[in-house]
Amino acid sequence: MNRRTLLRTAGVGVAGSMAGCANLFQTRTVGRSPPMVQNRPDAVYVPSHVEGMEMAGMAKRGRLRLALFYSFPHRFWLMGGGTAKRQKKVEIQSEDDVHLMASAWDAKTKRVLPAGNVRIALSKGDWSATRTMWPMLSQNMGFHFGDNLSLDGDGTYEAEVKVGGLDFRKTGALAGQFDGTETLTTTFDYSQSTKEDIAYRRLDDRKGERDAVDRMDMKMPVSHVPKRANLPGRFRGEVTTGDAPFLVSTVVDGPLANDGTYLLVSPRTPYNRYPLPMMSLSATLTRGGETSFEGALTPTLDPDAGYHYGTSVDGVASGDELAIRVESPPQVSRHEGYETAFVGMETKTLAL
């Protein structure tokens, strides 16, 4: 599939994923979003509106794949620690032209790289701009890197993107991959008129409900974690904190286990099963009142289990108790609908 075909296909998929009746879509005026939802729950909720996006360009280097997209400028929230009071809302500025987004994934396993850092340098003639993109989570795209920025009008832009090495554990076919910084380049055409044709729909009849909009059909990998039935190992149970389900399993064979018993904890968003990266988790495993393990859970990316947190333990028996502590909630920035969730996360105990 060539780039032009992919651009056209992606556009159809994005619009189709939000389809209802064609007249629900309207051309959006640049720069402002509808009013915020009032009385937002401390949970995932349906945002005030949903937007499509335009494919900007693609690049590859070795097994690394990168795609750039743009849409209308967005409001979003930066995390500043463990409480909602320390969040910083990023408002749309008058000079903002687009919300630029980047997604990186492994060509072999099709796993999106749900952490790290991305720095992008844009140029067009004598004009240039450089930006470190925020790691972000949105309901219709999942994990990505993004930010609002101004451009130099219509035209062709060159993008040089530096994707930093991943400093967490990688297993199976991902072991030893993406440890160093890679630089990728691509070009894309931008026009105000093309942006104004991007699908946009207000959700006045659903906004504020405890639910989420569907993920877009992007015709490329999207960050996700396995369903319960597809988690490796033996499923042990589930707890919820901060509106995030935490699924627990134990694995005794394969790369994760490493000739032992591997305790796997898979936090995810409700509804869309996106991973929750950039957390600090610890656990205590007890048997008959005696502690058999106490310590940190290691962020890990595995081809089968996806992004999760885990550790090796000296076996797990029926009746053991597992306490999961969130030392720091996900520090990933959030689009509207996620900013009130995954913040106040209490310790939860599960009987295995």
Side-chain angles (χ1 to χ4, degrees):
M1 178 182 290
N2 62 34
R3 177 171 173 261
R4 185 175 299 277
T5 303
L6 180 57
L7 285 168
R8 185 163 55 246
T9 304
V12 172
V14 168
S17 68
M18 298 187 297
C21 299
N23 61 8
L24 291 177
F25 293 92
Q26 54 187 319
T27 299
R28 153 125 193 219
T29 57
V30 175
R32 293 295 178 265
S33 295
M36 286 291 301
V37 174
Q38 298 297 311
N39 302 316
R40 294 170 291 161
D42 294 329
V44 175
Y45 69 91
V46 175
S48 60
H49 65 291
V50 66
E51 300 165 349
M53 59 189 182
E54 180 74 9
M55 171 73 82
M58 297 190 70
K60 62 182 180 179
R61 187 176 179 87
R63 285 172 52 172
L64 181 63
R65 299 292 183 269
L66 177 84
L68 293 179
F69 310 86
Y70 67 83
S71 187
F72 306 106
H74 294 322
R75 56 194 172 208
F76 58 91
W77 287 258
L78 306 177
M79 294 297 293
T83 67
K85 294 180 180 178
R86 297 181 63 185
Q87 287 180 330
K88 178 182 178 181
K89 182 182 179 184
V90 177
E91 299 280 8
I92 300 169
Q93 303 300 313
S94 59
E95 65 271 19
D96 290 336
D97 290 310
V98 297
H99 186 77
L100 188 66
M101 297 159 280
S103 179
W105 69 93
D106 173 42
K108 182 174 182 178
T109 65
K110 304 299 188 285
R111 282 290 175 189
V112 170
L113 310 184
N117 65 82
V118 167
R119 186 170 178 83
I120 184 167
L122 295 179
S123 60
K124 172 177 170 281
D126 294 333
W127 178 92
S128 64
T130 303
R131 189 70 59 88
T132 298
M133 311 285 271
W134 298 104
M136 291 188 160
L137 198 62
S138 73
Q139 291 185 9
N140 56 359
M141 188 178 178
F143 182 88
H144 63 281
F145 298 89
D147 203 354
N148 296 335
L149 70 162
S150 59
L151 299 176
D152 187 45
D154 294 1
T156 300
Y157 289 80
E158 181 172 334
E160 180 184 85
V161 186
K162 294 185 181 296
V163 181
L166 304 180
D167 60 357
F168 50 80
R169 182 182 181 225
K170 299 172 290 293
T171 53
L174 287 161
Q177 299 295 317
F178 314 117
D179 290 333
T181 298
E182 298 284 2
T183 301
L184 304 93
T185 59
T186 187
T187 60
F188 66 93
D189 295 326
Y190 166 80
S191 72
Q192 175 84 7
S193 61
T194 298
K195 182 182 65 177
E196 288 295 333
D197 285 338
I198 293 175
Y200 167 83
R201 180 162 56 103
R202 293 182 61 140
L203 301 174
D204 293 335
D205 58 336
R206 295 183 58 209
K207 64 181 182 181
E209 293 179 4
R210 292 189 60 160
D211 200 348
V213 299
D214 293 337
R215 69 176 68 174
M216 288 188 284
D217 180 8
M218 296 173 59
K219 307 302 181 185
M220 62 184 61
V222 176
S223 58
H224 69 280
V225 289
K227 296 178 180 178
R228 167 179 166 174
N230 296 330
L231 271 178
R234 177 183 173 187
F235 179 72
R236 295 285 187 165
E238 176 182 341
V239 295
T240 298
T241 182
D243 204 35
F246 284 53
L247 276 61
V248 178
S249 71
T250 50
V251 186
V252 296
D253 54 15
L256 284 172
N258 195 24
D259 298 325
T261 297
Y262 185 74
L263 178 65
L264 187 156
V265 179
S266 177
R268 70 271 310 276
T269 67
Y271 315 114
N272 285 333
R273 287 190 294 114
Y274 298 140
L276 292 175
M278 303 170 65
M279 300 177 73
S280 178
L281 294 183
S282 62
T284 301
L285 187 65
T286 58
R287 181 179 304 161
E290 299 291 329
T291 298
S292 60
F293 171 82
E294 186 169 22
L297 300 178
T298 301
T300 302
L301 184 62
D302 179 77
D304 297 322
Y307 188 91
H308 67 279
Y309 303 80
T311 190
S312 294
V313 296
D314 292 331
V316 173
S318 179
D320 287 358
E321 285 197 347
L322 176 69
I324 302 172
R325 293 182 300 279
V326 180
E327 309 290 353
S328 176
Q331 295 303 294
V332 62
S333 302
R334 292 97 179 278
H335 283 229
E336 185 180 341
Y338 278 149
E339 79 281 4
T340 55
F342 327 131
V343 179
M345 307 184 82
E346 302 175 344
T347 298
K348 292 291 182 175
T349 301
L350 176 68
L352 302 180

